[in-house]
Amino acid sequence: MSEPDIIIVGAGPGGLAAAIAASRTGLKVEVIEQRHAPGGAIYRQPVDGVEPVPQAAAAKRRWQSLSTRFAESGVPVRTHSVFLGIDGDGTFLIDDRDRGKLDRLQPRGVIIATGAVEKVYPRPGWHLAGVSTVGGLQVMMKETGRAPQGRILLAGGGPLLIAVAAQMARLGNPPVAIVEAGDPAKELAAGLQILISPGLFAEAFSYLRTVYRHGVPWLRGHRLVSIKREGQDLAAVIEDRKGSRRRILADRIGLHDGIRPNDFGMPPETTVNRAAPFVIHAGDCREALGAVAAEADGERAGRMMAGLLAHGRHEINELEELVARNRRSQAVLARIFAPVQSGSLLDGLTDETILCRCEGRTVGDLRQLCSRPDPLTGREIKHNGRFAMGACQGRFCAANTAALMARLRPDIPAPAPGDLIGRRWPARPVSIGTLVGVPPHAEGQDEVLR
Amino acid sequence: MRSSIPQTAIVIGSGIVGAAIAYFLTRRGIRVQLLEASAPAAEATGAADGAVSVASKRPGPMMVAAIAGVALYRELEHEGLFAGLFKSRSTFIVATSDEECAVLEAHADALEQAGVRIERLTGGALFEVLPALSPSTRLAVQVHGEGHAIGYQIVHRLLTAAGIVVDRHTPVNALLRDANGRALGVETHKGQIKADVVVIAAGTGSATLLGLADILIPRKGQLLVTERAPRLNAAFAGSIMSGRYLMSKGNRKPGAPTPARGLGLVIDPLVTGQFLIGGTREDHGDRRTNDIGAVSQILADAVALVPQLVHVRLLRSFAGNRTAVLDGLPLIGRVPGLDNAFVATGFEGDGICLGPIVGRTVAELVCGEAPSIDLVPFDPARFKSGMVAA
Ligand SMILES: Cc1cc2nc3c(=O)[nH]c(=O)nc-3n(C[C@H](O)[C@H](O)[C@H](O)COP(=O)(O)OP(=O)(O)OC[C@H]3O[C@@H](n4cnc5c(N)ncnc54)[C@H](O)[C@@H]3O)c2cc1C
Ligand SMILES: Cc1cc2nc3c(=O)[nH]c(=O)nc-3n(C[C@H](O)[C@H](O)[C@H](O)COP(=O)(O)OP(=O)(O)OC[C@H]3O[C@@H](n4cnc5c(N)ncnc54)[C@H](O)[C@@H]3O)c2cc1C
């Protein structure tokens, strides 16, 4: 089997569109995806034998069109294959989880389309069992076809809360409440449909209708400030815009404060170094602008990469315009969902609040490090505070740690989350057995030893 | 010897060596300005394993210095300065072939002669102490009384304790000196900085400052860290070092050709339950990347010694550059031709172990006190002809 010229990491709308575009020039293209099927965050496919969760009509249409065109392109997808990084010699590394094997390839071009991750601000108690991200709940629903059970509270900010609440309601278990930091209802009246695409508006409207029909309280201008375990319950403290507080009891809590590019540990873009593959970022992992933009941006990246390798022409103006339009829509959305309360959640945190869940490092630990006259760099904070050093390699804490550092030490240049994370491979933990060619045992021996 | 204590000093470089020098100078009441090209522990010190160990030292002055180095870690831990940062443990050097057994036996004799407490383990006793070792292990030499420390944590502790605010992102471009063999200070992009004494502890950066590019060699090392694996970690009575390490680690006969890539395996159980596994010795340029060839070879060697490692996941790879000296011995002492300038670098794979003791000794030298370790074998004057002030 001949090796691909271009490898695309991630089979979401960005990656698939990139693959279609790049393969048009006759270059050999391959997509690798860590999950069991293509689709990405938005078109996540159910696991075998499960009924898909009903999706908004526009999204369904987009997926049908994209997946059909992708199938026609004949580009192969390797599933259960995790991209580990590009090593110092330019070798592209894949953790083939089905076979417990490491694959080494030498592509000439790599398009990173690993999507977005959810932003979640730390709050006291956010690390407790039963607290997850809203997106995590959604993935579970999409893959299992079932709503999460028990009393579910959704909190944070942004349109995803409504979407997930509606999907839960349609699957028979609406959340007990939605705690929303912004006050979108006030802004909605302002003729927002002119500003965002009609498709998005229809989608949002249908979610809202479902949420209202099921009588789910939509607590706008509220924020969840802390969580405690009380016997069987999780008790969330909710604060309204005047500062008065109340408790809501739940079995599970989903948090979500927006999304940001999932470029953690990924190789940076480069189109100059001929000793290593060219790297282009595409879709939400370049700029989190949503599914429509991701598809356009993927196509842009695919054409660009094909142009770089085949020295052909690549026309990308109209795609850039489409991306720009979505950037404007996202800016409007961000304004609509802007938190009503002034002051960041980051400022009022107690010292005991966990920042890094893997290593149990707290806000107090960071405050102490930042209290010295010595202006520590991001890397020193990482080393001496053990932030971004755990098993998730900073996915959860690097952005929050960097943001909090910037607030604690406005006198020194703010670190980027990447300064804390670094760009060393593997981007994900990988079994040593895989790296040395000994496939891991089937039975749960790992558990005993770890 | 100088009898008067200087009032101010510039230290160039805030790796473990510069940080330790700055700490011990500050303790003597000297005002220290610590100039750093990037940030503390940004180079070798932040990419090292951290064996505080005599086990692998070549007999002679390095073994003697390392014994003093380990003793000082213990002392400073006892005093509280290094509290919680020094993990006491044995080193087990293991041999799996005839050749390794022979080298190891000879090395064990040398350690004993230097007064180091060791034990030879074979057969049932070996696997009782080290149940995780591969059954093909033939001999283990347990070196008692050693330990482990993480370079960047030691640096942070030293700087915090001395209350030093490091001048970050301030590379020194050159030394300033007068016509009478005295250093006046240094030249940086922020301008000239003056002091009574200048100490160079700039790792590989020392080469340019001293004009020793042919004598100081960057020697890359690749190192790996795993996830936490507390059960397996608990089965390690200490760090495991392959007997082959002795052959790879600067113990080549002078003049022997340098292999493109040497591999000396050490598996170090950390207090966190993780393992540090390393590393390579590569003499080609100053690249600091990790390549799958080296990483999988390190891991294959590690798994050959400790088969259960296949069930543990690799979390990160990293690489750093040791500063090696052509003749295998560090440079510690006065810069030839300059009365009040000193250098301490070239510690190759031993600077974490030696950093604190070297810091103390250089401070003693600067202040005209009797040195804690014999510096004669390390005198920079042996490369006088190449040096800046010659
Ligand atoms: C929780 C959540 C909810 C969202 N909800 C909406 C919504 O309702 N409407 C909307 O318009 N947008 C939504 N978005 C944004 C939307 O998902 C994206 O705009 C769109 O899916 C982006 O497409 P993409 O191809 O860039 O990334 P994705 O669709 O996220 O695809 C990235 C793919 O890369 C794979 N991947 C990641 N890392 C690796 C690796 N190391 N190796 C191999 N594969 C890897 C992932 O498994 C994934 O399949 C949401 C995003 C998130 C995170
Ligand atoms: C993979 C690996 C494993 C190792 N394992 C061990 C071990 O187990 N045990 C052990 O004892 N040792 C070990 N070592 C060796 C140890 O890390 C080094 O010997 C030690 O860190 C050297 O410290 P240093 O302060 O001399 O140099 P560095 O830590 O390199 O510090 C030099 C500093 O000077 C700065 N600098 C450079 N030029 C200038 C300039 N012009 N102006 C201002 N600042 C400048 C640099 O930015 C740097 O911060 C290992 C090293 C490596 C790479």
Side-chain angles (χ1 to χ4, degrees):
Chain A
M1 204 180 72
S2 70
E3 289 214 355
D5 301 298
I6 299 176
I7 304 182
I8 289 156
V9 183
L16 297 180
I20 297 166
S23 69
R24 273 192 217 118
T25 49
L27 289 166
K28 195 161 182 302
V29 179
E30 206 167 302
V31 177
I32 71 161
E33 167 56 50
Q34 63 189 7
R35 297 233 161 212
H36 67 282
I42 179 133
Y43 312 125
R44 175 94 59 207
Q45 300 304 300
V47 291
D48 283 348
V50 167
E51 273 294 298
V53 176
Q55 275 212 319
K60 220 192 280 178
R61 269 198 308 279
R62 286 200 307 268
W63 173 240
Q64 262 159 14
S65 156
L66 181 64
S67 55
T68 308
R69 282 180 289 130
F70 181 69
E72 285 163 6
S73 76
V75 171
V77 184
R78 300 187 191 205
T79 52
H80 290 159
S81 292
V82 180
F83 172 57
L84 298 179
I86 298 174
D87 86 348
D89 295 334
T91 304
F92 184 99
L93 303 171
I94 303 171
D95 179 2
D96 176 342
R97 297 232 165 132
D98 281 340
R99 290 182 295 159
K101 192 172 144 294
L102 178 80
D103 284 327
R104 313 171 184 205
L105 298 174
Q106 307 285 343
R108 293 155 63 210
V110 173
I111 297 175
I112 309 277
T114 46
V117 284
E118 292 177 275
K119 264 194 305 213
V120 179
Y121 296 128
R123 295 141 163 110
W126 72 313
H127 59 286
L128 294 171
V131 183
S132 65
T133 66
V134 173
L137 295 174
Q138 188 185 40
V139 165
M140 204 179 83
M141 270 193 296
K142 286 186 181 174
E143 289 190 350
T144 62
R146 277 159 42 100
Q149 298 304 296
R151 295 160 299 169
I152 315 288
L153 176 67
L154 303 182
L160 182 73
L161 300 182
I162 300 289
V164 171
Q167 284 161 348
M168 286 176 59
R170 286 171 193 156
L171 290 174
N173 187 25
V176 290
I178 305 167
V179 179
E180 165 61 58
D183 191 358
K186 222 168 77 191
E187 309 273 349
L188 272 173
L192 125 230
Q193 56 271 58
I194 309 161
L195 290 165
I196 64 174
S197 71
L200 264 185
F201 185 76
E203 203 172 313
F205 190 72
S206 113
Y207 289 145
L208 273 177
R209 211 174 43 208
T210 309
V211 165
Y212 271 106
R213 224 184 18 242
H214 286 84
V216 180
W218 192 23
L219 308 173
R220 295 178 305 280
H222 284 60
R223 59 190 191 184
L224 185 158
V225 291
S226 70
I227 303 170
K228 259 212 203 87
R229 173 145 300 279
E230 291 182 358
Q232 295 293 327
D233 299 321
L234 286 173
V237 174
I238 311 299
E239 188 182 76
D240 71 13
R241 61 189 87 197
K242 296 200 192 79
S244 49
R245 296 183 167 196
R246 68 167 131 148
R247 284 168 3 123
I248 298 182
L249 298 182
D251 297 306
R252 302 184 64 165
I253 296 175
L255 297 176
H256 174 92
D257 298 302
I259 60 176
R260 55 149 286 148
N262 174 27
D263 57 358
F264 301 108
M266 290 294 139
E269 292 205 311
T270 166
T271 52
V272 286
N273 181 4
R274 297 225 150 250
F278 293 149
V279 178
I280 298 181
H281 292 190
D284 271 10
C285 103
R286 194 179 62 78
E287 188 180 0
L289 295 178
V292 174
E295 196 176 323
D297 198 49
E299 173 141 20
R300 173 199 62 89
R303 286 190 201 176
M304 259 182 77
M305 185 62 84
L308 283 167
L309 297 182
H311 306 289
R313 263 164 35 88
H314 54 272
E315 206 39 73
I316 54 173
N317 290 351
E318 94 273 20
L319 295 167
E320 283 178 338
E321 176 42 38
L322 187 54
V323 172
R325 208 151 63 228
N326 280 278
R327 187 177 295 126
R328 291 192 290 274
S329 305
Q330 289 299 325
V332 171
L333 269 179
R335 212 158 53 238
I336 293 171
F337 281 92
V340 169
Q341 281 144 308
S342 61
S344 163
L345 267 176
L346 289 173
D347 291 336
L349 296 174
T350 56
D351 275 349
E352 297 74 36
T353 308
I354 298 283
L355 253 186
C356 154
R357 302 204 245 188
C358 299
E359 299 278 308
R361 308 300 294 165
T362 64
V363 169
D365 293 330
L366 184 64
R367 285 196 180 124
Q368 202 193 345
L369 276 172
C370 288
S371 69
R372 301 187 52 224
D374 217 10
L376 302 190
T377 59
R379 187 160 182 267
E380 291 172 83
I381 292 283
K382 168 201 181 102
H383 278 157
N384 297 300
R386 292 193 67 76
F387 295 103
M389 268 181 130
C392 89
Q393 294 165 315
R395 258 178 203 81
F396 275 108
C397 70
N400 285 331
T401 305
L404 189 53
M405 259 183 88
R407 306 185 81 83
L408 293 171
R409 290 302 293 265
D411 56 320
I412 55 180
D419 297 343
L420 287 152
I421 292 172
R423 290 194 188 271
R424 301 271 183 197
W425 64 273
R428 300 286 167 79
V430 53
S431 148
I432 288 176
T434 298
L435 292 171
V436 301
V438 181
H441 288 234
E443 70 277 20
Q445 203 173 356
D446 306 25
E447 297 310 314
V448 182
L449 287 162
R450 283 201 198 118
Chain B
M1 283 227 165
R2 300 157 53 82
S3 49
S4 69
I5 293 185
Q7 295 193 333
T8 59
I10 289 170
V11 177
I12 309 171
S14 58
I16 192 166
V17 175
I21 293 170
Y23 170 83
F24 285 105
L25 288 175
T26 306
R27 285 270 307 263
R28 282 165 174 74
I30 297 170
R31 261 192 320 187
V32 175
Q33 189 159 7
L34 186 47
L35 304 178
E36 166 55 53
S38 60
E43 293 292 331
T45 301
D49 179 350
V52 176
S53 161
V54 179
S56 67
K57 303 297 179 282
R58 187 169 162 187
M62 287 302 273
M63 197 177 268
V64 174
I67 291 172
V70 177
L72 182 57
Y73 266 92
R74 262 185 214 297
E75 185 188 320
L76 295 178
E77 191 209 15
H78 196 72
E79 256 179 32
L81 179 66
F82 287 174
L85 299 188
F86 179 65
K87 178 187 178 183
S88 255
R89 52 133 182 83
S90 292
T91 304
F92 296 87
I93 316 179
V94 302
T96 53
S97 68
D98 285 347
E99 195 199 2
E100 280 173 30
C101 282
V103 175
L104 183 49
E105 284 286 2
H107 189 68
D109 291 343
L111 284 167
E112 269 182 322
Q113 276 159 24
V116 179
R117 197 181 138 222
I118 62 153
E119 241 165 290
R120 291 174 170 80
L121 301 169
T122 53
L126 167 56
F127 296 103
E128 208 162 288
V129 178
L130 296 169
L133 274 187
S134 145
S136 64
T137 316
R138 306 248 306 265
L139 166 68
V141 169
Q142 175 169 17
V143 184
H144 288 276
E146 310 222 305
H148 190 267
I150 305 218
Y152 52 76
Q153 293 183 345
I154 296 292
V155 168
H156 187 68
R157 188 64 67 82
L158 288 167
L159 296 177
T160 314
I164 291 173
V165 176
V166 178
D167 283 299
R168 290 166 171 74
H169 311 292
T170 311
V172 169
N173 302 325
L175 302 192
L176 297 170
R177 58 212 147 105
D178 65 13
N180 309 320
R182 287 193 64 79
L184 300 173
V186 299
E187 177 82 48
T188 74
H189 68 270
K190 296 175 184 162
Q192 299 188 344
I193 304 173
K194 305 219 163 150
D196 297 341
V197 170
V198 176
V199 187
I200 301 170
T204 55
S206 313
T208 347
L209 292 174
L210 291 168
L212 285 182
D214 298 335
I215 286 156
L216 293 179
I217 309 150
R219 182 163 294 155
K220 171 171 149 183
Q222 302 192 41
L223 209 56
L224 310 173
V225 64
T226 72
E227 67 180 339
R228 294 177 189 245
R231 292 282 299 271
L232 185 58
N233 191 289
F236 273 63
S239 81
I240 311 277
M241 179 185 289
S242 158
R244 257 185 290 164
Y245 190 73
L246 299 173
M247 300 186 248
S248 134
K249 185 171 183 255
N251 285 7
R252 289 186 309 275
K253 292 192 181 63
T258 315
R261 174 182 280 165
L263 191 69
L265 186 76
V266 181
I267 307 171
D268 227 321
L270 301 180
V271 279
T272 54
Q274 297 170 286
F275 292 97
L276 262 176
I277 308 179
T280 57
R281 297 192 127 72
E282 305 168 57
D283 282 0
H284 38 237
D286 55 0
R287 280 201 329 169
R288 279 196 302 169
T289 52
N290 291 94
D291 57 280
I292 185 69
V295 169
S296 50
Q297 202 192 332
I298 293 171
L299 290 173
D301 283 13
V303 166
L305 283 188
V306 179
Q308 288 173 34
L309 279 172
V310 292
H311 304 294
V312 179
R313 292 183 304 167
L314 173 68
L315 206 55
R316 266 282 194 264
S317 63
F318 51 98
N321 276 314
R322 312 169 181 93
T323 311
V325 183
L326 216 49
D327 65 359
L329 294 175
L331 302 181
I332 315 171
R334 209 168 244 116
V335 176
L338 285 179
D339 235 18
N340 58 337
F342 302 84
V343 57
T345 192
F347 296 96
E348 216 269 3
D350 302 320
I352 304 302
C353 174
L354 297 179
I357 189 73
V358 167
R360 185 157 89 181
T361 310
V362 169
E364 290 160 350
L365 186 65
V366 167
C367 297
E369 302 166 28
S372 293
I373 55 172
D374 178 14
L375 292 180
V376 174
F378 310 127
D379 190 348
R382 68 191 193 275
F383 296 114
K384 195 170 179 166
S385 64
M387 237 178 265
V388 67

